[in-house]
Every structure is written in structure tokens, then in C-alpha cells.
Amino acid sequence: MRKTILAITLSLASAAHAETAITVPFDGSFDDAAFAVESAIVGKGLVIDYVSHTGEMLNRTGADVGSDVELFKEADIFIFCSAVVSREVMEANPMNIAHCPYGIFVAENADGVMIGYREYPAGEMQKVQALLADIVADAVEN
């Protein structure tokens, strides 16, 4: 009985804290959006650690997992960190390490091209969310 209650509690907690994505439409091509995001990240003095070509992987492996659904025409995730912001949020709570590194995605689907990022929890992690929002705004404006 106790295991059942624990499983239900964890399940509800996970659903209640499910992260959502904040997206902004991009008026241009996928390649232009990807370049704009890369430029905006580097323009903030940050280093891109990795670019995950998630769209290519999903398109390449669809048939292998029994799906013919095209989720994205293209999708990349830019992975990076900020020493200043990361230190600040982790000094407030070292377990904020769970949110690092940060990512901004560029994706194109049937609705068009979008740029987005994960929504972060209330509190000190809003500093990270503000950084990501600023980078996306720079990318969309340029």
C-alpha cells in the first residue's frame, strides 16, 4: 500500500512540475534562425558547448521505431552555460545544477520556424529564464 501511495504521489508531483516550452515564431528560414540564435548566444559572451541535431535524429530513426510521423522538418538545440548566472543560481541552491546546461532550440514544423527554451521554476532559476528570453529576443530582432 505504501509503495502505491508513493508511486501516485511521485506521479502527481511530476505532472504538477512538468516543464513547458516557451516559443517565439521566427520570420525567416530555419538556417537564418539557427544562425541568429548562435550569434545571439556568442554575442552575450557565452560559449556553445554542443549543438544537438535532434530533428535529423528523429527523421533518421522514425522508421526504426515504427513511426512515419514527421515531428520537425529540422530542429537543433544549442547547449551552453553561463558561469556568472550558473554560479549565482547554484550558490542560492546547489541543486540547481539539475537545470544546467541551458538550451535554446530552433525548430521548423508545419506551422513554421520557432525559437524556444524550457520554462524554469519560480525563484532564482528565473534569472536563467530571463537570460534565455533575452537571447531569444536578440535572435528574433536581428
Side-chain angles (χ1 to χ4, degrees):
M1 177 72 169
R2 182 178 173 151
K3 286 184 180 180
T4 302
I5 292 171
L6 179 60
I8 292 170
T9 302
L10 290 174
S11 167
L12 292 174
S14 295
H17 290 100
E19 297 172 346
T20 59
I22 297 168
T23 61
V24 177
F26 185 83
D27 186 24
S29 71
F30 174 86
D31 289 337
D32 288 346
F35 180 77
V37 166
E38 181 178 357
S39 297
I41 293 168
V42 172
K44 296 282 184 211
L46 305 171
V47 175
I48 298 168
D49 295 319
Y50 180 71
V51 179
S52 174
H53 303 288
T54 306
E56 288 177 17
M57 179 274 300
L58 290 169
N59 291 333
R60 182 182 68 250
T61 60
D64 296 337
V65 298
S67 177
D68 61 356
V69 176
E70 181 184 75
L71 298 169
F72 303 104
K73 293 178 183 175
E74 294 187 72
D76 287 347
I77 306 169
F78 293 83
I79 307 296
F80 60 96
C81 208
S82 164
V84 172
V85 175
S86 294
R87 175 162 291 283
E88 191 173 339
V89 301
M90 286 182 221
E91 284 183 0
N93 179 355
M95 290 303 100
N96 283 329
I97 193 171
H99 301 290
C100 195
Y102 315 123
I104 295 177
F105 65 84
V106 178
E108 181 177 6
N109 62 16
D111 296 328
V113 178
M114 70 187 99
I115 300 173
Y117 53 93
R118 170 185 312 141
E119 184 176 13
Y120 286 91
E124 60 271 355
M125 288 306 296
Q126 287 301 298
K127 293 173 184 171
V128 173
Q129 190 163 315
L131 171 66
L132 299 180
D134 191 40
I135 291 169
V136 171
D138 286 353
V140 170
E141 290 172 7
N142 293 323

